[in-house]
Amino acid sequence: MEYIQQQFIQMFGAEWGAMLFSLATNMTFIFAIVVPLLLGVAYLTFAERKIIAYMQIRVGPNRVTFFGIPWLRGWGQPIADAVKAIMKEIVIPTGANKFLFILAPILTIMPALAAWAVIPFSPELVLANINAGLLYILAMTSMGIYGIIIAGWASNSKYAFLGAMRSAAQVVSYELAMGFALVCVLMMSQSLNLGDIVNGQQGDSFLNWYLIPLFPMFLVYLISGVAETNRAPFDVAEGESEIVAGFHVDYSGMAFTVFFLAEYANMILVAALTSIMFLGGWLPPVDIAPFTLIPGFIWLLLKIAFILFFFLWFRATFPRYRYDQIMRLGWKVFIPITLIWIVLLGLIMQLPESVREFPPLNIWF
Amino acid sequence: MNFQDIIFYIFSAILIVSALGVITVRNPVYSALLLVLAFVTCAGLWLLLEAEFLAITLVLVYVGAVMVLFLFVVMMLDINLDQLREGFWKWFPFGAVVALIMVGEMTMVLMGKYFGLEEMPTPSAQDADYSNTRALGRLIYTEYAYAFELAAVLLLVAMVAAIALTLRHREDKRSTNSSKQVQVKKEDRLRIVAMPSEKKE
């Protein structure tokens, strides 16, 4: 690493060499995050089809394989789907606004990928260890809505536009509850840095994780995350039985696939954030020998996979919500719960030192 | 000219072009989107000043919330451009006077003794563990607590007023009571009647 830095400084001079070196290392890190993420997205679609199939006593995709290896049957399915999507023609409707029509899917997937910049994978492994990491995440996820609105408007179709309005209103409503739930987390950790938030959950066992003191917030965050990513049972945007597919009804081929990729990338992001905020990130569940030997990176991946399983399980289990009930849940149930919990948490934190020493308060405060 | 300067000039160029575009572009949706671009580039400039909390809050509040509502409204409206252009020359002198007054005020502020490189030197670079958020929070809740509370009350009043102005009580409104719906039991809705089976003739 230092040798390469020396080479850069020799080639471009002291100032420019250092700048270009940090640019090159950052680009390498970005690729090291984005490529596995996109592979994860591809295989999440496969996992979804397989898991829901088994829950419904079916088999799921079991044909496409690599090099004819029989025990890999089905594992080639996401690759085959991707190739199919790339081959298809992207139809741009005549009345559509061409520039915005193409821009919308890009705007949808950009924040889903950009938010990964501050996710810590282990104590040292993080692309940008910034102080305002949590705020950055909130800012990035709130930008995802532009893709939806622009897609609905640029298609120049009333069905796409109505779908965009439905999804946008839903995403805006649940963002509030999500933000308030995260306020509780940052009150506990007293830091906006995601690494510090995980370190604040360090202790003997999983009892120290924010999952226990903030359990209602965990539920609010998880359910809002499902609603935020427009997943079942909150997938009214593409309620097949009531309306046409929603804001992306006029999209085809790869442009449509990018919307799909963004949805799954957002699912993985919400799962990663839930694991970091509430499930202790890279920390093992119990701080004793066999668990601590496993690297923190693996623990984080396991927790992400666990939360993602919930997403798929929800989809196989619950019937779709009615639209007014979605709005009621967001505004009249979740936001009051989060506000009450914030006040409660503030009161507990202001208790005198002697009271806070009693168990179980001494674990968390 | 170093790396930071180049980034500064690129961002400034994008900011000026997009800000000009906001007022010159014909399509209102485009001008709303250009305003979003202007906010994002402005946040980038603030990041160069190491004001990361303000920069991210700008994106979070203006791009993530305010402009979304703007875009909503602009897209829903059926805007007739010709109608908007009517009376441009009639109102032009009035607009020009307002613009001139604004230019005068801006010059008085910017050319006065409060701005300039001597009064506002480049902020010195802070350590890596210096938290902008913590420093701002400490200032807001101690030194400027009164002004902060006043601003909060002002926002609350504006919010209540906006709701009060748009709230209409309608007599014929019908809405569902979800908690009642959930509490319904089988006995409330279903009546099982025992009937003797009919004989076939």
Side-chain angles (χ1 to χ4, degrees):
Chain A
M1 205 70 173
E2 295 207 342
Y3 172 73
I4 304 172
Q5 193 172 10
Q6 291 298 322
Q7 289 293 314
F8 263 88
I9 288 174
Q10 269 176 22
M11 273 204 292
F12 301 105
E15 190 184 1
W16 280 94
M19 282 295 174
L20 288 174
F21 175 73
S22 66
L23 197 69
T25 45
N26 279 338
M27 287 310 262
T28 322
F29 272 134
I30 290 170
F31 270 101
I33 292 173
V34 168
V35 172
L37 177 64
L38 289 181
L39 270 180
V41 166
Y43 277 91
L44 181 58
T45 61
F46 177 62
E48 171 166 37
R49 294 173 70 177
K50 269 293 193 194
I51 288 171
I52 293 182
Y54 286 134
M55 284 178 178
Q56 296 167 347
I57 328 181
R58 295 184 285 118
V59 183
N62 66 341
R63 296 281 150 169
V64 191
T65 172
F66 294 109
F67 313 113
I69 303 171
W71 49 271
L72 276 180
R73 286 210 166 171
W75 284 84
Q77 188 68 42
I79 312 294
D81 284 343
V83 171
K84 186 197 79 174
I86 292 170
M87 299 292 228
K88 282 200 163 187
E89 184 192 357
I90 298 177
V91 183
I92 298 179
T94 330
N97 187 323
K98 275 205 186 66
F99 175 68
L100 290 182
F101 192 79
I102 299 293
L103 187 70
I106 301 170
L107 276 181
T108 316
I109 198 157
M110 184 276 290
L113 298 181
W116 283 85
V118 294
I119 303 281
F121 295 99
S122 72
E124 302 85 33
L125 208 62
V126 51
L127 175 61
N129 189 10
I130 59 173
N131 276 326
L134 194 68
L135 271 179
Y136 173 82
I137 295 264
L138 283 175
M140 278 301 136
T141 47
S142 70
M143 277 170 78
I145 192 173
Y146 280 100
I148 296 176
I149 302 182
I150 292 174
W153 186 77
S155 304
N156 199 13
S157 144
K158 56 185 158 211
Y159 301 108
F161 191 64
L162 286 173
M165 288 293 144
R166 282 165 79 108
S167 323
Q170 180 184 334
V171 172
V172 167
S173 322
Y174 277 90
E175 222 157 61
L176 288 169
M178 244 174 151
F180 279 131
L182 292 186
V183 166
C184 289
V185 171
L186 75 94
M187 278 169 81
M188 292 283 290
S189 66
Q190 310 203 341
S191 171
L192 285 166
N193 184 317
L194 293 181
D196 288 349
I197 288 175
V198 176
N199 281 328
Q201 303 174 56
Q202 191 119 36
D204 298 330
S205 67
F206 60 89
L207 288 177
N208 288 73
W209 295 354
Y210 294 154
L211 173 71
I212 314 281
L214 298 179
F215 187 69
M217 293 303 99
F218 168 73
L219 289 184
V220 167
Y221 188 80
L222 189 63
I223 297 171
S224 305
V226 177
E228 181 94 352
T229 47
N230 280 328
R231 290 282 305 175
F234 302 102
D235 60 343
V236 288
E238 46 185 299
E240 306 94 338
S241 49
E242 304 141 31
I243 51 170
V244 287
F247 61 89
H248 46 42
V249 64
D250 276 327
Y251 281 82
S252 57
M254 205 56 208
F256 174 74
T257 314
V258 170
F259 278 119
F260 238 73
L261 290 182
E263 182 183 319
Y264 283 85
N266 270 324
M267 272 166 70
I268 301 181
L269 179 70
V270 169
L273 287 175
T274 315
S275 345
I276 286 171
M277 307 286 176
F278 298 100
L279 300 179
W282 64 74
L283 300 172
V286 185
D287 207 17
I288 47 173
F291 296 106
T292 47
L293 293 178
I294 301 170
F297 181 66
I298 305 289
W299 280 120
L300 183 63
L301 283 190
L302 280 177
K303 286 165 185 172
I304 293 176
F306 179 68
I307 300 287
L308 281 176
F309 181 73
F310 270 93
F311 272 81
L312 307 183
W313 195 1
F314 288 161
R315 176 160 177 198
T317 309
F318 295 123
R320 186 176 295 126
Y321 257 76
R322 212 171 60 201
Y323 196 76
D324 62 317
Q325 288 174 339
I326 292 180
M327 284 298 158
R328 179 176 167 271
L329 186 69
W331 288 99
K332 293 188 179 170
V333 180
F334 280 174
I335 293 179
I337 288 179
T338 48
L339 286 175
I340 289 170
W341 208 259
I342 287 174
V343 174
L344 202 70
L345 204 60
L347 287 178
I348 293 174
M349 288 170 75
Q350 290 302 318
L351 284 179
E353 195 79 30
S354 51
V355 180
R356 278 186 285 151
E357 274 168 8
F358 284 107
L361 287 182
N362 61 347
I363 307 179
W364 306 307
F365 297 101
Chain B
M1 190 126 130
N2 57 18
F3 198 68
Q4 270 197 357
D5 287 344
I6 292 177
I7 290 181
F8 172 77
Y9 282 117
I10 292 174
F11 274 26
S12 312
I14 297 174
L15 179 57
I16 291 171
V17 169
S18 55
L20 276 177
V22 174
I23 50 171
T24 52
V25 160
R26 295 187 63 167
N27 191 335
V29 173
Y30 273 154
S31 73
L33 288 174
L34 280 169
L35 193 54
V36 172
L37 180 63
F39 280 135
V40 174
T41 22
C42 194
L45 283 178
W46 285 4
L47 276 183
L48 282 179
L49 278 172
E50 300 190 5
E52 81 264 5
F53 180 81
L54 288 178
I56 296 176
T57 314
L58 180 75
V59 173
L60 183 62
V61 174
Y62 281 90
V63 177
V66 174
M67 287 315 292
V68 171
L69 295 181
F70 254 77
L71 216 53
F72 248 77
V73 174
V74 167
M75 282 178 175
M76 301 268 260
L77 291 178
D78 185 23
I79 295 171
N80 190 347
L81 284 177
D82 293 328
Q83 223 166 36
L84 279 180
R85 275 157 195 280
E86 246 172 45
F88 174 79
W89 290 109
K90 193 176 131 199
W91 293 104
F92 181 76
F94 182 69
V97 169
V98 172
L100 272 179
I101 293 173
M102 276 173 72
V103 168
E105 284 175 349
M106 291 298 276
T107 11
M108 273 161 68
V109 172
L110 292 175
M111 296 292 176
K113 56 180 180 177
Y114 300 111
F115 276 86
L117 279 179
E118 292 82 34
E119 284 76 20
M120 295 265 171
T122 320
S124 54
Q126 303 283 356
D127 305 334
D129 59 341
Y130 172 79
S131 174
N132 210 313
T133 319
R134 202 173 284 268
L136 255 176
R138 201 156 280 162
L139 273 182
I140 284 179
Y141 289 107
T142 56
E143 213 169 309
Y144 299 105
Y146 184 56
F148 180 72
E149 297 288 326
L150 269 183
V153 170
L154 197 68
L155 279 176
L156 183 69
V157 169
M159 202 162 77
V160 172
I163 294 173
L165 281 176
T166 50
L167 191 68
R168 285 182 301 155
H169 286 290
R170 283 176 52 180
E171 294 300 321
D172 57 342
K173 197 180 76 172
R174 295 168 68 173
S175 60
T176 51
N177 187 341
S178 293
S179 48
K180 253 187 191 166
Q181 281 181 337
V182 171
Q183 283 166 3
V184 162
K185 290 190 184 60
K186 194 177 87 180
E187 295 82 57
D188 303 339
R189 296 282 169 90
L190 185 72
R191 191 162 55 94
I192 297 175
V193 186
M195 273 177 76
S197 55
E198 291 174 29
K199 283 200 186 84
K200 216 175 208 176
E201 294 300 323

